[in-house]
Amino acid sequence: MSQSAQIHLPPPSQKGVMPLEEAIARRESIRNFISQPISQSQLSQILWAAQGTSDTSWNRTVPSAGATYPLEVFVVCGANCVEKISEGIYHYNNDNHSLTLHHRGDVRLELARAALDQEYIYEVPVNIVICAVYERTLRRYGSRGERYVHIEVGHAGQNIYLQAIALGLGTVAIGAFYDESVREVLRLDKQYRPLYIMPVGRPA
Ligand SMILES: Cc1cc2nc3c(=O)[nH]c(=O)nc-3n(C[C@H](O)[C@H](O)[C@H](O)COP(=O)(O)O)c2cc1C
């Protein structure tokens, strides 16, 4: 992965305006979005929910079998889509809640093509792409680790759904895509296997 300056995200808030029960009750998949940028603090909150750490310990917001932490989160950002963040692919560093530029340029259209032309992928400001490095979990659990990785991405995906709703945003969990094509669009090494694409934006 290419190294470059980190973008430190605003600290995530741990007090929201929507009760958890309301977010659960309102959870749904959104596929129609208006073209409006999101703020850095909204992106910060979504990434924290997906794979961040709490401020009192190193526990992540999502459980992990044997704390093997196989998930890696990437952000595909369009031009003028997130306040003060230019178009590109970014890697989320959960340890210091920052982003590292991985590739410059808007790849939303390419990403949509790799996902059976699901158009909401290029209509939203950002797509959260959750990948797994299976080896981290399989090393400890053998083939059963594969099940654990899949369960874990579900935890992360549900957190993104709930956090999006609580922020007045929407998302949909996308599993229909060509793995190899998504990996190529994201310029990722073979060890990274994409599991979910989650477009995030303001519902129409
Ligand atoms: C593993 C998984 C894969 C999915 N893949 C897609 C997808 O590729 N495209 C899509 O539009 N929705 C996808 N969905 C969302 C489902 O279609 C959606 O959850 C379902 O229709 C129920 O609607 P709701 O989420 O609004 O309750 C997926 C959901 C899951 C759990």
Side-chain angles (χ1 to χ4, degrees), residues 159-189:
N159 270 11
I160 294 176
Y161 264 108
L162 297 178
Q163 181 65 85
I165 284 160
L167 293 169
L169 301 173
T171 189
V172 53
I174 293 184
F177 50 78
Y178 296 104
D179 297 354
E180 202 54 24
S181 307
V182 169
R183 223 180 38 71
E184 281 169 16
V185 170
L186 265 55
R187 281 82 173 167
L188 295 176
D189 294 343

mmCIF file of all heavy atoms in Angstrom, residues 159-189:
data_model
loop_
_atom_site.group_PDB
_atom_site.id
_atom_site.type_symbol
_atom_site.label_atom_id
_atom_site.label_comp_id
_atom_site.label_asym_id
_atom_site.label_seq_id
_atom_site.Cartn_x
_atom_site.Cartn_y
_atom_site.Cartn_z
ATOM 1 N N ASN A 159 -23.580 -2.230 12.021
ATOM 2 C CA ASN A 159 -23.216 -0.968 12.689
ATOM 3 C C ASN A 159 -23.279 0.206 11.707
ATOM 4 O O ASN A 159 -23.707 1.306 12.065
ATOM 5 C CB ASN A 159 -21.796 -1.059 13.267
ATOM 6 C CG ASN A 159 -21.777 -1.573 14.687
ATOM 7 O OD1 ASN A 159 -22.776 -2.052 15.186
ATOM 8 N ND2 ASN A 159 -20.630 -1.482 15.331
ATOM 9 N N ILE A 160 -22.825 -0.021 10.470
ATOM 10 C CA ILE A 160 -22.871 1.062 9.472
ATOM 11 C C ILE A 160 -24.331 1.440 9.174
ATOM 12 O O ILE A 160 -24.680 2.618 9.105
ATOM 13 C CB ILE A 160 -22.120 0.664 8.179
ATOM 14 C CG1 ILE A 160 -20.619 0.507 8.478
ATOM 15 C CG2 ILE A 160 -22.341 1.688 7.071
ATOM 16 C CD1 ILE A 160 -19.787 0.031 7.294
ATOM 17 N N TYR A 161 -25.185 0.440 9.018
ATOM 18 C CA TYR A 161 -26.616 0.723 8.802
ATOM 19 C C TYR A 161 -27.166 1.614 9.917
ATOM 20 O O TYR A 161 -27.815 2.628 9.668
ATOM 21 C CB TYR A 161 -27.419 -0.579 8.817
ATOM 22 C CG TYR A 161 -27.724 -1.220 7.477
ATOM 23 C CD1 TYR A 161 -27.086 -2.376 7.068
ATOM 24 C CD2 TYR A 161 -28.709 -0.693 6.634
ATOM 25 C CE1 TYR A 161 -27.391 -2.993 5.858
ATOM 26 C CE2 TYR A 161 -29.029 -1.312 5.428
ATOM 27 C CZ TYR A 161 -28.374 -2.456 5.040
ATOM 28 O OH TYR A 161 -28.686 -3.058 3.846
ATOM 29 N N LEU A 162 -26.909 1.191 11.170
ATOM 30 C CA LEU A 162 -27.524 1.900 12.303
ATOM 31 C C LEU A 162 -26.941 3.298 12.466
ATOM 32 O O LEU A 162 -27.662 4.267 12.720
ATOM 33 C CB LEU A 162 -27.352 1.084 13.596
ATOM 34 C CG LEU A 162 -28.052 -0.282 13.579
ATOM 35 C CD1 LEU A 162 -27.785 -1.025 14.881
ATOM 36 C CD2 LEU A 162 -29.551 -0.142 13.344
ATOM 37 N N GLN A 163 -25.621 3.405 12.276
ATOM 38 C CA GLN A 163 -24.993 4.718 12.421
ATOM 39 C C GLN A 163 -25.469 5.662 11.309
ATOM 40 O O GLN A 163 -25.733 6.839 11.553
ATOM 41 C CB GLN A 163 -23.475 4.582 12.388
ATOM 42 C CG GLN A 163 -22.746 5.900 12.555
ATOM 43 C CD GLN A 163 -22.970 6.538 13.915
ATOM 44 O OE1 GLN A 163 -22.291 6.219 14.867
ATOM 45 N NE2 GLN A 163 -23.928 7.461 14.015
ATOM 46 N N ALA A 164 -25.611 5.139 10.090
ATOM 47 C CA ALA A 164 -26.079 5.974 8.972
ATOM 48 C C ALA A 164 -27.465 6.527 9.297
ATOM 49 O O ALA A 164 -27.719 7.732 9.163
ATOM 50 C CB ALA A 164 -26.095 5.168 7.679
ATOM 51 N N ILE A 165 -28.358 5.667 9.745
ATOM 52 C CA ILE A 165 -29.725 6.102 10.054
ATOM 53 C C ILE A 165 -29.710 7.161 11.148
ATOM 54 O O ILE A 165 -30.380 8.185 11.060
ATOM 55 C CB ILE A 165 -30.601 4.890 10.416
ATOM 56 C CG1 ILE A 165 -30.949 4.161 9.122
ATOM 57 C CG2 ILE A 165 -31.871 5.292 11.167
ATOM 58 C CD1 ILE A 165 -31.384 2.757 9.284
ATOM 59 N N ALA A 166 -28.917 6.937 12.177
ATOM 60 C CA ALA A 166 -28.857 7.892 13.293
ATOM 61 C C ALA A 166 -28.332 9.257 12.845
ATOM 62 O O ALA A 166 -28.611 10.271 13.476
ATOM 63 C CB ALA A 166 -27.985 7.325 14.408
ATOM 64 N N LEU A 167 -27.581 9.285 11.741
ATOM 65 C CA LEU A 167 -27.037 10.552 11.234
ATOM 66 C C LEU A 167 -27.928 11.177 10.164
ATOM 67 O O LEU A 167 -27.564 12.182 9.553
ATOM 68 C CB LEU A 167 -25.651 10.310 10.613
ATOM 69 C CG LEU A 167 -24.512 9.893 11.549
ATOM 70 C CD1 LEU A 167 -23.306 9.429 10.746
ATOM 71 C CD2 LEU A 167 -24.137 11.055 12.470
ATOM 72 N N GLY A 168 -29.060 10.540 9.872
ATOM 73 C CA GLY A 168 -29.920 11.048 8.789
ATOM 74 C C GLY A 168 -29.402 10.645 7.420
ATOM 75 O O GLY A 168 -29.771 11.228 6.399
ATOM 76 N N LEU A 169 -28.525 9.646 7.384
ATOM 77 C CA LEU A 169 -27.979 9.148 6.114
ATOM 78 C C LEU A 169 -28.586 7.771 5.834
ATOM 79 O O LEU A 169 -29.358 7.246 6.624
ATOM 80 C CB LEU A 169 -26.450 9.064 6.195
ATOM 81 C CG LEU A 169 -25.724 10.370 6.496
ATOM 82 C CD1 LEU A 169 -24.235 10.126 6.721
ATOM 83 C CD2 LEU A 169 -25.923 11.382 5.347
ATOM 84 N N GLY A 170 -28.215 7.205 4.696
ATOM 85 C CA GLY A 170 -28.714 5.874 4.367
ATOM 86 C C GLY A 170 -27.630 5.043 3.722
ATOM 87 O O GLY A 170 -26.611 5.570 3.245
ATOM 88 N N THR A 171 -27.858 3.739 3.697
ATOM 89 C CA THR A 171 -26.886 2.825 3.082
ATOM 90 C C THR A 171 -27.593 1.568 2.619
ATOM 91 O O THR A 171 -28.763 1.345 2.946
ATOM 92 C CB THR A 171 -25.753 2.478 4.076
ATOM 93 O OG1 THR A 171 -24.717 1.770 3.381
ATOM 94 C CG2 THR A 171 -26.244 1.606 5.232
ATOM 95 N N VAL A 172 -26.880 0.765 1.847
ATOM 96 C CA VAL A 172 -27.344 -0.573 1.500
ATOM 97 C C VAL A 172 -26.120 -1.483 1.468
ATOM 98 O O VAL A 172 -25.059 -1.086 0.981
ATOM 99 C CB VAL A 172 -28.106 -0.593 0.148
ATOM 100 C CG1 VAL A 172 -27.313 0.030 -0.987
ATOM 101 C CG2 VAL A 172 -28.520 -2.021 -0.245
ATOM 102 N N ALA A 173 -26.288 -2.678 2.012
ATOM 103 C CA ALA A 173 -25.180 -3.653 2.019
ATOM 104 C C ALA A 173 -25.156 -4.329 0.654
ATOM 105 O O ALA A 173 -26.148 -4.950 0.266
ATOM 106 C CB ALA A 173 -25.410 -4.683 3.116
ATOM 107 N N ILE A 174 -24.054 -4.199 -0.051
ATOM 108 C CA ILE A 174 -23.949 -4.812 -1.378
ATOM 109 C C ILE A 174 -22.964 -5.979 -1.339
ATOM 110 O O ILE A 174 -21.794 -5.809 -0.996
ATOM 111 C CB ILE A 174 -23.498 -3.761 -2.422
ATOM 112 C CG1 ILE A 174 -24.615 -2.731 -2.585
ATOM 113 C CG2 ILE A 174 -23.150 -4.421 -3.745
ATOM 114 C CD1 ILE A 174 -24.358 -1.695 -3.645
ATOM 115 N N GLY A 175 -23.502 -7.155 -1.692
ATOM 116 C CA GLY A 175 -22.653 -8.341 -1.753
ATOM 117 C C GLY A 175 -22.486 -8.855 -3.176
ATOM 118 O O GLY A 175 -21.656 -9.727 -3.430
ATOM 119 N N ALA A 176 -23.278 -8.296 -4.112
ATOM 120 C CA ALA A 176 -23.230 -8.770 -5.500
ATOM 121 C C ALA A 176 -22.185 -7.988 -6.292
ATOM 122 O O ALA A 176 -22.434 -6.848 -6.702
ATOM 123 C CB ALA A 176 -24.606 -8.617 -6.149
ATOM 124 N N PHE A 177 -21.028 -8.569 -6.442
ATOM 125 C CA PHE A 177 -19.967 -7.950 -7.249
ATOM 126 C C PHE A 177 -18.945 -9.018 -7.607
ATOM 127 O O PHE A 177 -18.946 -10.119 -7.032
ATOM 128 C CB PHE A 177 -19.285 -6.783 -6.503
ATOM 129 C CG PHE A 177 -18.838 -7.095 -5.105
ATOM 130 C CD1 PHE A 177 -17.678 -7.827 -4.856
ATOM 131 C CD2 PHE A 177 -19.573 -6.653 -4.006
ATOM 132 C CE1 PHE A 177 -17.258 -8.112 -3.564
ATOM 133 C CE2 PHE A 177 -19.166 -6.933 -2.699
ATOM 134 C CZ PHE A 177 -18.000 -7.664 -2.492
ATOM 135 N N TYR A 178 -18.115 -8.672 -8.588
ATOM 136 C CA TYR A 178 -17.031 -9.573 -8.984
ATOM 137 C C TYR A 178 -15.833 -9.279 -8.079
ATOM 138 O O TYR A 178 -15.269 -8.183 -8.146
ATOM 139 C CB TYR A 178 -16.669 -9.374 -10.457
ATOM 140 C CG TYR A 178 -17.810 -9.730 -11.383
ATOM 141 C CD1 TYR A 178 -18.572 -8.741 -12.006
ATOM 142 C CD2 TYR A 178 -18.154 -11.064 -11.602
ATOM 143 C CE1 TYR A 178 -19.637 -9.073 -12.828
ATOM 144 C CE2 TYR A 178 -19.216 -11.406 -12.419
ATOM 145 C CZ TYR A 178 -19.954 -10.405 -13.037
ATOM 146 O OH TYR A 178 -21.012 -10.739 -13.839
ATOM 147 N N ASP A 179 -15.469 -10.250 -7.249
ATOM 148 C CA ASP A 179 -14.415 -10.030 -6.245
ATOM 149 C C ASP A 179 -13.123 -9.492 -6.862
ATOM 150 O O ASP A 179 -12.541 -8.516 -6.389
ATOM 151 C CB ASP A 179 -14.073 -11.340 -5.521
ATOM 152 C CG ASP A 179 -15.241 -11.886 -4.734
ATOM 153 O OD1 ASP A 179 -16.279 -11.200 -4.641
ATOM 154 O OD2 ASP A 179 -15.114 -13.005 -4.210
ATOM 155 N N GLU A 180 -12.722 -10.172 -7.955
ATOM 156 C CA GLU A 180 -11.435 -9.822 -8.565
ATOM 157 C C GLU A 180 -11.482 -8.407 -9.146
ATOM 158 O O GLU A 180 -10.534 -7.632 -9.027
ATOM 159 C CB GLU A 180 -11.105 -10.858 -9.656
ATOM 160 C CG GLU A 180 -9.661 -10.965 -10.016
ATOM 161 C CD GLU A 180 -8.750 -11.224 -8.819
ATOM 162 O OE1 GLU A 180 -9.196 -11.763 -7.783
ATOM 163 O OE2 GLU A 180 -7.588 -10.852 -8.934
ATOM 164 N N SER A 181 -12.623 -8.052 -9.764
ATOM 165 C CA SER A 181 -12.753 -6.714 -10.362
ATOM 166 C C SER A 181 -12.723 -5.640 -9.277
ATOM 167 O O SER A 181 -12.080 -4.603 -9.440
ATOM 168 C CB SER A 181 -14.059 -6.595 -11.150
ATOM 169 O OG SER A 181 -14.158 -7.646 -12.066
ATOM 170 N N VAL A 182 -13.405 -5.893 -8.169
ATOM 171 C CA VAL A 182 -13.398 -4.897 -7.081
ATOM 172 C C VAL A 182 -11.987 -4.741 -6.537
ATOM 173 O O VAL A 182 -11.509 -3.630 -6.302
ATOM 174 C CB VAL A 182 -14.404 -5.292 -5.964
ATOM 175 C CG1 VAL A 182 -14.211 -4.416 -4.720
ATOM 176 C CG2 VAL A 182 -15.828 -5.187 -6.473
ATOM 177 N N ARG A 183 -11.298 -5.848 -6.395
ATOM 178 C CA ARG A 183 -9.918 -5.796 -5.905
ATOM 179 C C ARG A 183 -9.040 -4.974 -6.850
ATOM 180 O O ARG A 183 -8.228 -4.165 -6.423
ATOM 181 C CB ARG A 183 -9.376 -7.225 -5.765
ATOM 182 C CG ARG A 183 -8.587 -7.470 -4.498
ATOM 183 C CD ARG A 183 -8.065 -8.883 -4.384
ATOM 184 N NE ARG A 183 -7.607 -9.436 -5.630
ATOM 185 C CZ ARG A 183 -6.501 -9.070 -6.274
ATOM 186 N NH1 ARG A 183 -5.723 -8.138 -5.765
ATOM 187 N NH2 ARG A 183 -6.188 -9.619 -7.418
ATOM 188 N N GLU A 184 -9.271 -5.161 -8.163
ATOM 189 C CA GLU A 184 -8.478 -4.400 -9.143
ATOM 190 C C GLU A 184 -8.825 -2.911 -9.103
ATOM 191 O O GLU A 184 -7.957 -2.056 -9.137
ATOM 192 C CB GLU A 184 -8.713 -4.949 -10.555
ATOM 193 C CG GLU A 184 -7.903 -6.210 -10.799
ATOM 194 C CD GLU A 184 -8.319 -6.928 -12.077
ATOM 195 O OE1 GLU A 184 -9.003 -6.319 -12.917
ATOM 196 O OE2 GLU A 184 -7.953 -8.117 -12.201
ATOM 197 N N VAL A 185 -10.111 -2.593 -9.006
ATOM 198 C CA VAL A 185 -10.527 -1.182 -8.949
ATOM 199 C C VAL A 185 -9.905 -0.509 -7.722
ATOM 200 O O VAL A 185 -9.456 0.636 -7.783
ATOM 201 C CB VAL A 185 -12.076 -1.066 -8.902
ATOM 202 C CG1 VAL A 185 -12.509 0.362 -8.606
ATOM 203 C CG2 VAL A 185 -12.698 -1.565 -10.198
ATOM 204 N N LEU A 186 -9.845 -1.255 -6.644
ATOM 205 C CA LEU A 186 -9.297 -0.691 -5.400
ATOM 206 C C LEU A 186 -7.776 -0.776 -5.320
ATOM 207 O O LEU A 186 -7.180 -0.302 -4.354
ATOM 208 C CB LEU A 186 -9.921 -1.385 -4.179
ATOM 209 C CG LEU A 186 -11.133 -0.679 -3.569
ATOM 210 C CD1 LEU A 186 -12.236 -0.425 -4.571
ATOM 211 C CD2 LEU A 186 -11.679 -1.453 -2.386
ATOM 212 N N ARG A 187 -7.162 -1.362 -6.345
ATOM 213 C CA ARG A 187 -5.686 -1.509 -6.371
ATOM 214 C C ARG A 187 -5.195 -2.183 -5.088
ATOM 215 O O ARG A 187 -4.279 -1.685 -4.399
ATOM 216 C CB ARG A 187 -5.005 -0.143 -6.524
ATOM 217 C CG ARG A 187 -4.980 0.422 -7.923
ATOM 218 C CD ARG A 187 -6.264 1.094 -8.282
ATOM 219 N NE ARG A 187 -6.186 1.789 -9.577
ATOM 220 C CZ ARG A 187 -7.247 2.242 -10.241
ATOM 221 N NH1 ARG A 187 -8.478 2.063 -9.781
ATOM 222 N NH2 ARG A 187 -7.089 2.868 -11.378
ATOM 223 N N LEU A 188 -5.793 -3.319 -4.774
ATOM 224 C CA LEU A 188 -5.429 -4.015 -3.540
ATOM 225 C C LEU A 188 -4.616 -5.266 -3.835
ATOM 226 O O LEU A 188 -4.831 -5.927 -4.856
ATOM 227 C CB LEU A 188 -6.696 -4.435 -2.784
ATOM 228 C CG LEU A 188 -7.568 -3.295 -2.267
ATOM 229 C CD1 LEU A 188 -8.834 -3.857 -1.633
ATOM 230 C CD2 LEU A 188 -6.808 -2.440 -1.270
ATOM 231 N N ASP A 189 -3.731 -5.602 -2.901
ATOM 232 C CA ASP A 189 -2.983 -6.859 -2.988
ATOM 233 C C ASP A 189 -3.962 -8.035 -2.871
ATOM 234 O O ASP A 189 -5.044 -7.888 -2.309
ATOM 235 C CB ASP A 189 -1.987 -6.975 -1.823
ATOM 236 C CG ASP A 189 -0.910 -5.920 -1.911
ATOM 237 O OD1 ASP A 189 -0.740 -5.339 -2.996
ATOM 238 O OD2 ASP A 189 -0.254 -5.679 -0.878
#
